Amino acid sequence: MNLSSPSASSASPHPLAPYGWDEGWEAEFAPYAEQGLLPGRVLRVDRGRCDVVTPGGVLRADTEFVVPRDPAKVVCTGDWVAVDPDGDPRYVRAYLPRRTAFVRSTSSKRSDGQILAANADHAVVAVSLAVDLDLGRIERFLALAWESGAQPVVVLTKADLVPDPVTLAHLVQDIETSAPGVPVLTVSALHGEGLDVLVALVGSGTSVLLGQSGAGKSTLANALVGADVMDVRAARDVDGKGRHTTTTRNLLALPSGGVLIDTPGLRGVGLYDAESGVGQVFAEIEELAERCRFHDCAHDGEPGCAVRSAVESGELAVRRLESYRKLVRENQWIVAKTDARVRAELRRDWKRKGAAGRAALQIKRGRLR
């Protein structure tokens, strides 16, 4: 069998099959195959160069030919690429259209997005049980995951630290309430508890590990791979946070099938044009909003607001509504940076609310005289 050819014999699996190569990718790559380029998947990216697994093995390639103005469109871990068949240095000539993409806003004041990983089928959000649950942060991760196009799953790590099954069940229920339509698993990588369910889930397709430093992602990655491939350091006892043991995004083929992308701990999870992702996380609020009297209801005192009625009746938690508002405002602000129409709409809304507030203040002052 010619390992340099993107078309493998029907009698043997393609050399890139363990990394997710399928007929769809082969069809996408066909124009590049005609140019004599090699197919490959990016294992990691570091300072403009990347490790790419190809039919002939892993090679180092330069990405300078794929440097778009948009930082969200640079070559990243998980991309399928077309690489020079020979030469020194090797170059990535193009990457194939992404099926999914995890993009967050940058920490700068610019309106750029940062690509975290590409072509993942599952987003595994690791949450440590060594510290109190931050439901708002989990909702933020889930919005990022839903927006990417992947199926999220929440994994509560270090479950051995919560030996009481009743307490653990309550924690799972809290997450399930904040994550409609998302599987919630409890895992102790230290003792191997719950790993069989997670292995079955990530055993097909590509999964990306997301979470804060100290969430146990590297330990989880080692357990899934069955070897100490990622460095692990203990988290601080005071707050459960750890140092960045993973500094780059690494793609690993799992022995049980499937592919795993491990990512560095994320301190900031800024949304980037994630309207549909936010709507998916807060599906019950979006459903209630359809019954509001006004289609542009802000759910903040307007008459006939079904969302406020649900809060007053106890059907909807106040925390959920406040978290929803926060993420909607943040996402609107990010979108407004690049969309003049959205900026104008926000200004009109702020002016309308300001005028309404001043009018209410005048009425209140009149009553006090």
Side-chain angles (χ1 to χ4, degrees), residues 119-124 201-209 259-262:
N119 301 312
D121 303 289
H122 302 99
V124 179
L201 188 144
V202 303
S204 62
T206 298
S207 301
V208 59
L209 264 176
V259 177
L260 183 71
I261 299 176
D262 190 22

Side-chain angles (χ1 to χ4, degrees), residues 139-163:
E139 288 162 345
R140 183 179 290 272
F141 271 110
L142 291 175
L144 176 73
W146 280 122
E147 189 66 31
S148 75
Q151 166 66 50
V153 55
V154 175
V155 174
L156 301 179
T157 66
K158 308 180 185 180
D160 52 287
L161 299 180
V162 187

Side-chain angles (χ1 to χ4, degrees), residues 143-208:
L144 176 73
W146 280 122
E147 189 66 31
S148 75
Q151 166 66 50
V153 55
V154 175
V155 174
L156 301 179
T157 66
K158 308 180 185 180
D160 52 287
L161 299 180
V162 187
D164 179 29
V166 175
T167 301
L168 186 59
H170 283 307
L171 292 172
V172 170
Q173 186 177 23
D174 286 343
I175 300 293
E176 290 176 338
T177 302
S178 301
V182 177
V184 180
L185 309 178
T186 58
V187 168
S188 171
L190 183 64
H191 301 294
E193 298 170 357
L195 278 175
D196 54 341
V197 179
L198 182 59
V199 167
L201 188 144
V202 303
S204 62
T206 298
S207 301
V208 59

Side-chain angles (χ1 to χ4, degrees), residues 103-115:
V103 182
R104 68 168 177 175
S105 65
T106 60
S107 57
S108 67
K109 294 182 180 180
R110 299 172 59 188
S111 57
D112 297 329
Q114 179 191 18
I115 181 76

Side-chain angles (χ1 to χ4, degrees), residues 295-310:
H295 75 278
D296 60 346
C297 183
H299 319 307
D300 191 23
E302 294 91 340
C305 176
V307 174
R308 292 301 310 178
S309 295

Side-chain angles (χ1 to χ4, degrees), residues 286-327:
E286 298 268 302
E287 183 177 344
L288 286 167
E290 293 178 359
R291 303 203 297 265
C292 290
R293 180 181 301 178
F294 304 107
H295 75 278
D296 60 346
C297 183
H299 319 307
D300 191 23
E302 294 91 340
C305 176
V307 174
R308 292 301 310 178
S309 295
V311 171
E312 292 166 3
S313 68
E315 178 186 353
L316 177 66
V318 174
R319 189 208 66 80
R320 283 283 283 173
L321 179 57
E322 291 176 347
S323 182
Y324 171 72
R325 285 173 171 165
K326 179 179 181 180
L327 294 186

Side-chain angles (χ1 to χ4, degrees), residues 233-279:
R233 299 175 190 171
R236 298 191 301 242
D237 291 334
V238 64
D239 56 9
K241 294 182 179 179
R243 290 176 289 176
H244 288 302
T245 56
T246 303
T247 57
T248 59
R249 299 168 188 93
N250 301 279
L251 186 146
L252 309 164
L254 301 178
S256 58
V259 177
L260 183 71
I261 299 176
D262 190 22
T263 65
L266 300 176
R267 290 192 178 92
V269 192
L271 301 184
Y272 184 76
D273 196 4
E275 180 180 357
S276 64
V278 172

